[in-house]
C-alpha cells in the first residue's frame, strides 16, 4: 500500500525540485519555517525552506533544518581522514545547491585552524547561487552558473558541450552528491571529461549516482527506473532528468575510458542509502621511462553514502 501510494505521488509530482519553483508552494513551506527560525537561532542562517527542499529532503518538507546542517558531516570527515583533501585543497562542488556542503568548510574553526583552500560551487539554479554568494562572502568561496542543463537530451547524443570555468589541472578534488542522478548519457560523459581535465595529477573525482545494481530503499515505490534511454534508466519520460540510474559496470568503464584509474563503485551493503559512490583518481605524471602511478594506499572502503 505504501509503495503504491509513493508511485501515485511520483506520477502526480515527478520532481519536488520543480515543485519548489511554484509560487504557492514557496509561500506555504517558507511560512512554515518562520516558527522554527524564531525558536532556534541556529536555523536563522539557513537558506529559505523552498531552496532546502529543492536540493532534496525526502518527504521532510517542514522538518529538514537539522538535515541541512548535518548532511555533509560524515562526508567531510571521510575525505579529510583519508587524505582525499586537506585544508588548503582546491575543491569543486558540481551541483552545489544552496550550500549544504560548503557551510562546513566556511564555519570550520579549531584552535586557530580554518579551511584555507578554495571552494568553487557550480549549479544551474541562479536563485540558489545568488543566496550562496550573499552568505559566503569570503574570497575562499566562488559560485559559478552552469547553463548545461538548458541543453535538452537528444537521442543522437549530440548535446552541446559544457566547459567547466576552470583551468586545466587546477583542482585537487571534484565531487557531486546528486549530479549524476540527473544526467542523461551525453551530459554525464561531458562532466566526466571535464572533471578529468581540471583535476591535477593525483586528484580525485567523487560522484554519487543511482545504481541499478544497488537500488535505493525507495525502489519499487518512489523509484522504479522502468524507462530506458541509452545506457540510462529513467523514472519519468515526461521529466527524464528527475531521476536517472546507471549500472555499476557502465559507469566504471566510462570513467576508465576517460583516463581515470582506481575507479570504484562503493555501495552501501545495508541497502539503506539512496545512492552509490563512484571514486576515481587521475594518474600522477612521472618521469620518462616510468609507469604512471596511482595512489594505492587508500582502498576507498566505507565511504559515507548520502541518505
Amino acid at each position: 500500500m505504501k509503495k503504491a501510494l509513493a508511485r501515485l505521488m511520483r506520477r502526480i509530482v515527478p520532481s519536488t525540485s520543480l515543485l519548489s519553483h511554484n509560487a504557492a508552494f514557496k509561500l506555504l513551506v517558507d511560512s512554515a519555517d518562520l516558527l522554527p527560525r524564531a525558536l532556534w537561532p541556529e536555523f536563522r542562517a539557513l537558506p529559505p525552506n523552498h531552496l532546502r527542499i529543492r536540493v532534496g529532503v525526502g518527504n521532510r518538507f517542514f522538518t529538514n533544518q537539522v538535515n541541512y546542517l548535518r548532511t555533509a558531516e560524515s562526508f567531510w570527515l571521510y575525505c579529510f581522514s583519508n587524505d582525499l583533501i586537506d585544508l588548503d585543497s582546491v575543491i569543486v562542488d558540481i551541483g552545489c545547491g544552496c550550500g549544504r556542503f560548503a557551510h562546513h568548510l566556511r564555519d570550520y574553526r579549531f584552535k586557530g585552524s580554518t579551511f584555507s583552500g578554495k571552494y568553487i560551487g557550480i549549479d544551474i539554479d541562479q536563485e540558489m547561487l545568488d543566496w550562496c554568494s550573499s552568505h559566503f562572502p569570503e574570497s575562499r568561496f566562488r559560485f559559478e552558473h552552469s547553463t548545461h542543463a538548458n541543453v535538452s537530451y537528444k537521442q543522437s547524443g549530440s548535446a552541446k558541450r559544457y566547459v567547466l570555468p576552470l583551468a586545466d589541472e587546477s583542482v585537487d578534488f571534484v565531487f557531486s552528491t546528486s549530479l549524476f542522478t540527473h544526467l542523461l548519457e551525453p551530459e554525464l560523459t561531458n562532466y566526466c571529461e571535464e572533471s578529468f581535465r581540471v583535476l591535477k595529477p593525483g586528484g580525485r573525482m567523487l560522484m554519487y549516482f543511482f545504481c541499478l545494481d544497488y537500488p535505493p530503499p525507495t525502489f519499487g515505490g518512489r523509484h522504479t527506473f522502468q524507462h530506458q534511454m541509452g545506457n540510462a534508466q529513467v523514472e519519468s519520460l515526461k521529466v527524464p532528468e528527475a531521476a536517472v540510474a546507471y549500472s555499476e559496470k557502465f559507469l566504471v568503464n566510462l570513467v576508465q575510458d576517460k583516463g581515470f584509474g582506481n575507479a570504484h563503485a562503493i555501495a552501501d551493503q545495508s541497502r539503506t542509502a539512496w545512492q552509490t559512490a563512484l571514486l576515481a583518481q587521475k594518474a600522477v605524471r612521472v618521469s620518462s621511462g616510468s609507469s604512471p602511478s596511482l595512489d594505492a594506499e587508500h582502498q576507498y572502503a566505507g565511504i559515507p553514502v548520502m541518505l
Side-chain angles (χ1 to χ4, degrees):
M1 179 66 180
K2 186 177 179 180
K3 288 186 176 181
L5 180 60
R7 285 194 293 268
L8 175 61
M9 290 303 298
R10 182 54 56 178
R11 284 196 293 270
I12 297 171
V13 184
S15 171
T16 53
S17 176
L18 294 178
L19 182 62
S20 72
H21 291 273
N22 179 274
F25 182 81
K26 284 185 182 182
L27 179 62
L28 172 65
V29 297
D30 289 352
S31 297
D33 210 28
L34 293 177
L35 181 59
R37 288 175 182 268
L39 294 175
W40 292 284
E42 58 267 40
F43 291 168
R44 295 170 193 168
L46 301 185
N49 194 18
H50 73 275
L51 293 185
R52 303 198 304 267
I53 291 170
R54 192 173 299 172
V55 297
V57 296
N59 296 322
R60 295 186 177 185
F61 283 4
F62 305 107
T63 58
N64 57 64
Q65 295 89 350
V66 174
N67 180 70
Y68 175 90
L69 289 171
R70 300 197 59 185
T71 289
E73 284 180 350
S74 294
F75 175 87
W76 290 123
L77 284 171
Y78 180 87
C79 290
F80 281 108
S81 64
N82 286 277
D83 297 323
L84 301 184
I85 56 174
D86 53 40
L87 288 175
D88 62 358
S89 292
V90 179
I91 297 169
V92 175
D93 180 358
I94 306 177
C96 63
C98 53
R100 61 179 174 168
F101 278 70
H103 78 88
H104 292 280
L105 300 177
R106 179 196 62 192
D107 299 340
Y108 171 73
R109 300 284 188 281
F110 183 77
K111 307 295 186 183
S113 176
T114 63
F115 173 67
S116 58
K118 298 288 185 183
Y119 168 97
I120 301 98
I122 298 174
D123 207 278
I124 64 171
D125 192 309
Q126 191 61 54
E127 183 183 7
M128 291 199 287
L129 292 174
D130 289 343
W131 188 91
C132 286
S133 295
S134 64
H135 289 79
F136 294 83
E138 301 96 333
S139 60
R140 299 172 297 165
F141 294 87
R142 180 176 120 213
F143 297 91
E144 298 279 351
H145 184 250
S146 165
T147 58
H148 196 226
N150 293 337
V151 180
S152 61
Y153 176 80
K154 299 179 178 62
Q155 292 290 346
S156 64
S158 58
K160 181 181 178 182
R161 181 173 179 79
Y162 172 70
V163 178
L164 291 172
L166 300 160
D168 294 358
E169 299 189 351
S170 61
V171 171
D172 298 296
F173 186 58
V174 177
F175 80 97
S176 73
T177 55
S178 197
L179 171 71
F180 282 14
T181 59
H182 301 292
L183 293 183
L184 294 163
E185 197 171 340
E187 289 78 20
L188 177 78
T189 301
N190 184 175
Y191 274 102
C192 288
E193 292 170 344
E194 279 298 288
S195 296
F196 185 85
R197 177 184 67 81
V198 303
L199 278 169
K200 299 174 184 177
R204 274 78 166 222
M205 176 185 75
L206 188 156
M207 303 291 187
Y208 288 78
F209 70 105
F210 282 131
C211 185
L212 295 170
D213 305 279
Y214 305 97
T218 51
F219 190 71
R222 176 176 176 180
H223 294 108
T224 60
F225 304 117
Q226 60 184 315
H227 307 290
Q228 185 168 358
M229 298 183 76
N231 285 295
Q233 298 287 137
V234 304
E235 186 64 28
S236 167
L237 289 176
K238 181 179 179 181
V239 188
E241 294 88 353
V244 186
Y246 292 95
S247 71
E248 174 183 358
K249 180 179 179 181
F250 169 73
L251 269 187
V252 170
N253 287 342
L254 174 64
V255 298
Q256 289 176 339
D257 287 344
K258 300 307 174 184
F260 284 100
N262 276 353
H264 298 267
I266 311 300
D268 179 3
Q269 300 299 327
S270 70
R271 301 292 182 93
T272 59
W274 282 30
Q275 298 177 24
T276 297
L278 176 72
L279 189 59
Q281 185 178 23
K282 186 171 181 175
V284 177
R285 191 178 297 111
V286 295
S287 58
S288 178
S290 300
S291 300
S293 64
L294 291 166
D295 184 354
E297 178 183 354
H298 304 293
Q299 300 302 310
Y300 307 129
I303 186 168
V305 179
M306 185 176 64
L307 297 178

